[in-house]
Amino acid sequence: MERINRWRAQGGWQEVWRHDSAETGTPMEFSIFLPDAEGPRPVVWYLSGLTCSWANVTEKGEFRAACARHGLIFVAPDTSPRGEGVPDDAEGAYDFGLGAGFYVDATEEPFARNYRMRSYLEGELPRLLAEHFPVDLARQAITGHSMGGHGALTLALRNPGRFRSVSAFAPIVAPSSCPWGQKALGLYLGADPAGWAEYDAVRLIEGGARVPALKVDQGAADGFLAGQLMPERLLAACEAAGQPLEYGLHEGYDHSYYFISSFLSGHLDWHAEHLG
Amino acid sequence: MERINRWRAQGGWQEVWRHDSAETGTPMEFSIFLPDAEGPRPVVWYLSGLTCSWANVTEKGEFRAACARHGLIFVAPDTSPRGEGVPDDAEGAYDFGLGAGFYVDATEEPFARNYRMRSYLEGELPRLLAEHFPVDLARQAITGHSMGGHGALTLALRNPGRFRSVSAFAPIVAPSSCPWGQKALGLYLGADPAGWAEYDAVRLIEGGARVPALKVDQGAADGFLAGQLMPERLLAACEAAGQPLEYGLHEGYDHSYYFISSFLSGHLDWHAEHLG
């Protein structure tokens, strides 16, 4: 573990760390905001979307003031393994491979060795955080954007008890049913959609998984709304399952960080209430 | 005038505009945040630092929530003319030429035709804003970072009555006395420092110029503090002149947008008080 940068910000420290990951077999970077606060602090995970690294939300997310106010540690991992030798999309497309790990453990070659973002986030990175930072892992929340909203929802649904609250911005809620998800899950996990269920929030909810508190915000002017995001499928699954969901559809907002930064502070207020 | 982008953000619109500038002889871009608020709104100008365009503060400044709360229009111009045929630093250095207009009207060749950021900001751009946006030009404030702090201070000191309040982040306060300023003013205005006085905040204050309200914040870990910024010269000039100054020196903070974004919202609260 090596700290590669840090900046004083909002009365805390915004840091960036690098470590060699056993899961991905590559160096991995993440950013972490550490408020100036005594004792172990609750942790909010933020999973980023396609093409992003830790940098996008760290620079543009406008989350630090709320984290400082509530004493929250904010962790932003990368979206995939990276580096020489890590297999990428065959044509270099933005929606698969580097920057597009989809938070799965790949089973298909040539991706199975490196693309292990699920195990990285479910096991390795939380253990490292507990060793190096004053985190209170009994108080965790998770959020994310787009592909990272998919990651946040599925990680929480598969790990009952780990997160007290779960939120997402414009999440991919039904990857088995949209082009982004079908391409990525097909290549990482194999062509049979039967094997994708644990990486599909709607199918997890339909299969009985629940989270204690769920909040989703979506821009109504998001260009990916109808073709990729399909929030109505999440609404229907939650309704049918009795899973409480606070859903907001916001006129004029698109898929960008101008949308995320408008609502992330409010999500953190909401997570802070659940984290106590 | 052509709007080239806009995003819904914080209950307002973050827009980017392009127009042909008579002053610079080039297309110029600026960003403008328009809160959803009735009637003519007060305007806060933000002048950016070396290497920046409108994009840096627009993406990383964390100013929109405060502007929406107070009903402020926030304008971020570019830092120089740009485009083919605009002369740049002879060696492509970051501290002169493109991205480094220093908010002067150049008198030296080959810069005099295009590098007219003073007249652009003192005349042309305010006139355009009045034609196209619901601005209340009786209520203006100005702020800026580094070279843009220099721009904000000198523009306000030269134009008494235009701005009700003036603030800056890590400003270049004495360009006649620091390497950045000596290089830029020498090349734009000629080698004789006698001709630089109206572009030097400390010399303007020593010469009798005043602003009604002045606030400066500076990071104590800023790598440019001693060699380029020299805030002690501003403190001494204000003290000698009886110019009120609210000055904050902040342990740990550097010259980056992590510093600016930590304090810009507070500056906007302060400007809003003065703007009424």
Side-chain angles (χ1 to χ4, degrees):
Chain A
M1 285 275 282
E2 172 195 15
R3 189 179 65 213
I4 57 175
N5 220 329
R6 74 167 183 169
W7 304 271
R8 191 77 176 143
Q10 297 283 2
W13 287 101
Q14 179 63 60
E15 303 189 342
V16 183
W17 289 74
R18 183 189 292 136
H19 67 100
D20 290 323
S21 167
E23 290 292 353
T24 69
T26 66
M28 292 291 288
E29 295 182 1
F30 64 91
S31 81
I32 183 167
F33 177 72
L34 299 161
D36 282 1
E38 292 296 310
R41 306 311 312 167
V43 180
V44 178
W45 297 80
Y46 178 93
L47 303 188
S48 296
L50 288 168
T51 77
C52 292
S53 70
W54 56 263
N56 306 68
V57 72
T58 303
E59 295 175 348
K60 302 178 183 177
E62 305 196 17
F63 59 86
R64 281 178 289 272
C67 288
R69 194 163 63 241
H70 297 299
L72 303 173
I73 289 176
F74 186 98
V75 180
D78 205 345
T79 52
S80 78
R82 298 177 193 267
E84 284 190 36
V86 176
D88 194 6
D89 184 88
E91 295 169 349
Y94 75 97
D95 58 1
F96 183 78
L98 302 186
F102 269 84
Y103 305 103
V104 305
D105 282 351
T107 55
E108 297 298 293
E109 296 307 335
F111 307 107
R113 169 66 195 95
N114 303 117
Y115 285 82
R116 296 184 53 78
M117 292 299 293
R118 171 185 177 164
S119 289
Y120 175 68
L121 292 172
E122 288 187 346
E124 185 176 22
L125 188 54
R127 281 196 302 274
L128 277 171
L129 291 186
E131 286 169 22
H132 290 84
F133 301 98
V135 291
D136 177 1
L137 294 187
R139 291 189 290 165
Q140 295 185 71
I142 192 165
T143 186
H145 173 234
S146 195
M147 177 185 74
H150 147 74
L153 292 170
T154 54
L155 210 154
L157 288 161
R158 281 195 314 266
N159 291 274
R162 176 168 164 192
F163 301 102
R164 296 198 185 177
S165 48
V166 183
S167 77
F169 299 84
I172 302 171
V173 301
S176 306
S177 308
C178 77
W180 278 341
Q182 289 164 340
K183 173 180 176 181
L185 300 183
L187 289 168
Y188 287 133
L189 304 171
D192 183 358
W196 307 348
E198 59 191 351
Y199 298 112
D200 185 305
V202 163
R203 292 171 67 186
L204 284 164
I205 291 167
E206 289 170 350
R210 299 289 181 269
V211 292
L214 180 59
K215 177 179 177 68
V216 170
D217 281 295
Q218 172 67 54
D222 186 325
F224 301 112
L225 180 55
Q228 301 279 7
L229 304 175
M230 309 174 184
E232 67 282 1
R233 299 199 182 209
L234 181 68
L235 290 165
C238 287
E239 173 78 21
Q243 165 69 55
L245 165 62
E246 299 180 33
Y247 178 71
L249 182 67
H250 303 280
E251 282 302 317
Y253 287 88
D254 68 8
H255 202 65
S256 73
Y257 269 89
Y258 293 97
F259 162 59
I260 300 168
S261 64
S262 296
F263 293 95
L264 183 47
S265 179
H267 277 228
L268 292 166
D269 293 344
W270 179 84
H271 285 297
E273 277 183 37
H274 290 278
L275 292 166
Chain B
M1 286 275 281
E2 173 195 15
R3 190 178 66 212
I4 58 176
N5 220 329
R6 74 167 184 170
W7 304 272
R8 191 80 176 141
Q10 297 285 1
W13 288 101
Q14 179 63 60
E15 303 189 342
V16 183
W17 289 74
R18 183 189 292 137
H19 67 100
D20 290 323
S21 167
E23 290 293 354
T24 69
T26 66
M28 292 291 289
E29 295 182 1
F30 64 91
S31 80
I32 184 167
F33 177 71
L34 299 162
D36 281 1
E38 291 298 310
R41 306 312 311 167
V43 179
V44 178
W45 297 79
Y46 178 94
L47 303 188
S48 295
L50 289 168
T51 76
C52 291
S53 71
W54 57 262
N56 305 69
V57 71
T58 303
E59 295 175 348
K60 302 178 183 178
E62 306 194 16
F63 60 86
R64 281 177 289 272
C67 288
R69 193 163 64 241
H70 297 299
L72 302 173
I73 289 177
F74 187 98
V75 180
D78 205 344
T79 52
S80 78
R82 300 177 191 267
E84 282 189 38
V86 176
D88 194 6
D89 184 87
E91 295 170 346
Y94 75 97
D95 57 2
F96 184 78
L98 301 186
F102 269 83
Y103 305 104
V104 305
D105 282 351
T107 55
E108 298 298 293
E109 296 306 335
F111 308 107
R113 169 67 196 95
N114 303 117
Y115 285 83
R116 297 185 53 78
M117 292 300 292
R118 172 185 177 165
S119 290
Y120 175 68
L121 292 172
E122 289 187 346
E124 185 175 22
L125 189 54
R127 280 194 303 272
L128 277 171
L129 291 186
E131 287 169 22
H132 290 84
F133 302 98
V135 292
D136 177 0
L137 293 188
R139 291 188 289 164
Q140 295 185 69
I142 192 164
T143 187
H145 172 234
S146 195
M147 177 185 74
H150 147 74
L153 292 169
T154 55
L155 210 154
L157 287 161
R158 281 195 314 267
N159 292 275
R162 176 169 163 192
F163 302 102
R164 296 197 184 179
S165 49
V166 183
S167 77
F169 300 85
I172 302 172
V173 302
S176 306
S177 309
C178 77
W180 278 340
Q182 290 165 339
K183 173 179 176 181
L185 301 184
L187 289 168
Y188 288 133
L189 305 172
D192 183 359
W196 307 349
E198 59 192 350
Y199 298 111
D200 185 304
V202 163
R203 292 172 67 185
L204 284 164
I205 292 168
E206 289 171 350
R210 300 287 182 271
V211 293
L214 180 58
K215 178 180 177 67
V216 170
D217 281 295
Q218 172 66 55
D222 187 325
F224 302 111
L225 180 54
Q228 302 278 7
L229 304 175
M230 310 176 182
E232 67 282 358
R233 299 199 182 210
L234 181 68
L235 290 165
C238 287
E239 173 76 23
Q243 165 69 54
L245 166 62
E246 299 180 33
Y247 178 70
L249 182 68
H250 304 279
E251 283 301 317
Y253 286 88
D254 68 10
H255 202 65
S256 72
Y257 269 89
Y258 293 98
F259 162 59
I260 300 167
S261 64
S262 297
F263 293 95
L264 182 48
S265 179
H267 278 229
L268 292 166
D269 292 343
W270 180 85
H271 284 297
E273 278 183 35
H274 290 277
L275 292 166

